[in-house]
């Protein structure tokens, strides 16, 4: 699309149920630009986590194994009645979190053992193991970490977590499997696992697409027609015509292989993708302005993978809503994608720039 650039991140209180829920921005120790605020807000909204009485989140405190059991019980909707006693020596039936610990053990998230160690920490490798079990994560494509081998405890689970974009490790290429998890990071990983989605973001070649287009360059409104042309052995090539004045736009190139979605303007002098993201999607920051890669300098955040939007008189569900902010310019773009249809709406600083009017079968 002519003006599309790259499109396409809790309040923890595990047990003090009486504290009123609040969003991340209300916490004294969570800044408004925290890169995990999307995930934190999501878990607060879902009632999975709550805040401390003094209005703090304590994001850098280590999460405990008992707190993890509580979060996962809520996230998965596990029943806490008539649970089978796992007979952990350090978790009597009188323990405040006995039911949640038993519930998670009963479904195989935690192993049977003599002791549970409810106040112990959870390492990043432990995180991968419990999340893989809890959310049945799959994915075995090789993923290289400098400090992870096939002999690393939790190796397969770490690979599954990486394959699902829940955690891709650190910029130096390490995963740090033995590092204890903070409350903020575990909360983010849970929210991401809960919102995994692998939509097909391509336009459907079986249809012609008609968009209402507002041109920021001249301030006028036009109607654009998108017609599938061919596949160039890598990209779907779409021809774009401005039906208002019959002016031909540059072709749009769309790439998808199940693991990556990318978009570019067809230009003889460049093979650069304006937008390039990994799949599956999950809420939170998926591209950071400091990341290396095909494009950088922008931050892309998935606000939801299950939203709604109205475009062209149609109400769409299961919408992936992405927000793009730029490092060097004061501009915010919002994109709305529907599985199997593609982009249905795009906003620039709140102004509708693209809106799908109709699809007509070829």
């Amino acid at each position: 699309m002519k003006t599309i650039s790259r499109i396409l991140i809790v309040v923890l209180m595990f047990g003090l149920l009486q504290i009123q829920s609040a969003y991340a921005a209300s916490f004294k120790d969570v800044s408004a630009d925290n890169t995990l605020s999307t995930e934190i807000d999501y878990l607060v909204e879902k009632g999975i986590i709550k805040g401390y009485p003094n209005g703090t989140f304590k994001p850098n405190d280590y999460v405990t194994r008992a707190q993890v059991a509580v979060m996962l019980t809520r996230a998965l909707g596990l029943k806490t009645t008539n649970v089978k006693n796992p007979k952990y020596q350090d978790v009597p039936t009188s323990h405040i979190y006995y039911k949640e610990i038993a519930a998670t053990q009963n479904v195989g998230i935690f192993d049977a053992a003599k002791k549970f160690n409810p106040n112990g920490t959870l390492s990043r490798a432990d995180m991968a193991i419990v999340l893989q079990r809890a959310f049945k994560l799959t994915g075995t494509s090789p993923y290289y970490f400098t400090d992870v081998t096939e002999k690393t405890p939790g190796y397969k689970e770490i690979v599954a977590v990486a394959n699902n974009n829940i955690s891709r490790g650190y910029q130096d290429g390490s995963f740090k499997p033995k590092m204890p998890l903070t409350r903020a990071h575990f909360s983010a990983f849970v929210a991401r696992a809960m919102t995994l989605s692998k939509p097909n973001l391509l336009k459907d070649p079986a249809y012609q697409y008609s968009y209402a287009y507002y041109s920021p360059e001249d301030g006028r409104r036009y109607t654009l027609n998108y017609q599938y042309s061919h596949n160039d052995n890598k990209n779907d090539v779409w021809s774009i015509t401005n039906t208002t004045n019959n002016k031909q736009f540059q072709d749009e190139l769309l790439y998808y292989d199940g693991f990556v979605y990318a978009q570019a303007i067809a230009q003889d002098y460049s093979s650069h993708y304006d937008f390039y993201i990994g799949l599956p999607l999950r809420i939170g920051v998926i591209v950071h302005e400091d990341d290396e890669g095909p494009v950088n300098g922008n931050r892309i955040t998935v606000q939801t993978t299950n939203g709604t939007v109205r475009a062209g008189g149609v109400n769409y569900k299961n919408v992936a809503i992405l927000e793009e902010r730029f490092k060097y310019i004061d501009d915010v773009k919002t994109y709305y994608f529907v599985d199997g249809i593609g982009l249905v709406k795009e906003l620039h600083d709140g102004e509708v720039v693209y809106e799908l009017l109709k699809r007509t079968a070829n």
Side-chain angles (χ1 to χ4, degrees):
M1 214 169 270
K2 186 173 181 180
T3 62
I4 290 186
S5 58
R6 277 188 311 132
I7 306 175
L8 7 151
I9 245 178
V10 168
V11 182
L12 282 179
M13 160 102 197
F14 309 93
L16 295 182
L17 303 181
Q18 72 275 21
I19 305 304
Q20 187 175 6
S21 296
Y23 285 97
S26 69
F27 294 106
K28 300 175 183 178
D29 53 356
V30 178
S31 62
D33 62 349
N34 189 297
T35 56
L36 304 180
S37 63
T38 301
E39 293 97 320
I40 291 172
D41 283 348
Y42 177 82
L43 293 189
V44 172
E45 181 183 356
K46 296 297 182 181
I48 294 169
I49 53 176
K50 299 176 176 66
Y52 282 94
N54 64 356
T56 61
F57 168 56
K58 300 183 181 180
N60 297 320
D61 283 4
Y62 293 138
V63 68
T64 70
R65 290 168 57 84
Q67 292 171 347
V68 167
V70 173
M71 280 192 67
L72 293 179
T73 296
R74 294 172 180 169
L76 299 172
L78 300 180
K79 294 182 179 180
T80 55
T81 56
N82 300 319
V83 291
K84 181 180 178 180
N85 190 340
K87 297 183 179 179
Y88 292 125
Q89 294 177 0
D90 52 358
V91 184
T93 56
S94 59
H95 192 285
I96 186 173
Y97 300 133
Y98 164 76
K99 292 182 178 179
E100 290 84 354
I101 292 171
T104 50
Q105 189 277 336
N106 289 176
V107 297
I109 295 173
F110 288 105
D111 294 326
K114 290 183 178 181
K115 293 186 177 181
F116 181 75
N117 192 16
N119 296 320
T121 60
L122 200 75
S123 71
R124 288 172 56 85
D126 293 334
M127 171 275 295
I129 292 170
V130 299
L131 290 187
Q132 190 281 325
R133 293 174 178 177
F135 295 97
K136 312 301 182 187
L137 301 176
T138 60
T140 58
S141 298
Y143 197 90
Y144 177 73
F145 293 109
T146 58
D147 55 355
V148 175
T149 70
E150 292 185 3
K151 296 182 180 180
T152 302
Y155 168 76
K156 292 182 179 180
E157 292 83 356
I158 291 171
V159 170
V161 163
N163 280 187
N164 285 281
N165 294 331
I166 292 172
S167 176
R168 284 300 185 97
Y170 291 85
Q171 286 191 336
D172 63 0
S174 66
F175 184 78
K176 305 187 189 304
K178 296 181 180 180
M179 177 181 287
L181 269 183
T182 64
R183 292 154 57 90
H185 279 107
F186 187 73
S187 300
F189 297 150
V190 170
R192 294 170 189 175
M194 293 177 66
T195 57
L196 282 176
S197 175
K198 198 171 184 180
N200 180 354
L201 304 180
L202 291 175
K203 293 180 174 64
D204 188 340
Y207 292 84
Q208 294 184 43
Y209 285 65
S210 178
Y211 284 90
Y213 169 59
Y214 169 73
S215 171
E217 286 80 8
D218 60 18
R220 299 181 64 181
R221 299 185 182 278
Y222 303 95
T223 300
L224 303 183
N225 182 69
Y226 283 67
Q227 174 69 56
Y228 177 76
S229 175
H230 64 284
N231 186 282
D232 63 4
N233 295 320
K234 182 178 182 181
N235 307 288
D236 283 352
V237 181
W238 287 76
S239 298
I240 307 171
T241 302
N242 184 337
T243 60
T244 304
N245 57 15
N246 291 321
K247 179 181 178 181
Q248 194 74 25
F249 277 48
Q250 290 176 313
D251 291 343
E252 178 184 68
L253 307 180
L254 299 178
Y255 174 77
Y256 177 85
D257 66 359
F259 298 97
V260 168
Y261 174 82
Q263 184 171 350
I265 299 170
Q267 297 174 344
D268 293 336
Y269 60 84
S270 175
S271 60
H272 172 74
Y273 283 112
D274 297 308
F275 156 67
Y276 189 94
I277 61 166
L279 299 172
L281 294 179
R282 45 72 173 177
I283 64 169
V285 173
I286 58 171
V287 175
H288 192 275
E289 58 267 25
D290 296 328
D291 290 344
E292 297 179 356
V295 287
N296 59 18
N298 299 358
R299 178 181 295 189
I300 299 174
T301 304
V302 179
Q303 301 290 358
T304 181
T305 58
N306 190 29
T308 60
V309 70
R310 184 173 177 83
V314 178
N315 294 320
Y316 294 98
K317 298 180 180 179
N318 301 317
V319 181
I321 303 176
L322 301 96
E323 179 186 88
E324 183 177 27
R325 293 180 179 269
F326 300 85
K327 188 172 183 178
Y328 302 108
I329 59 175
D330 186 17
D331 192 12
V332 178
K333 297 182 180 180
T334 308
Y335 307 91
Y336 301 82
F337 283 87
V338 176
D339 181 27
I341 296 178
L343 183 73
V344 298
K345 203 167 191 177
E346 177 182 337
L347 280 64
H348 293 191
D349 288 330
E351 177 82 35
V352 177
V353 175
Y354 289 94
E355 182 172 4
L356 180 62
L357 299 177
K358 62 180 180 179
R359 295 194 309 157
T360 305
N362 291 326

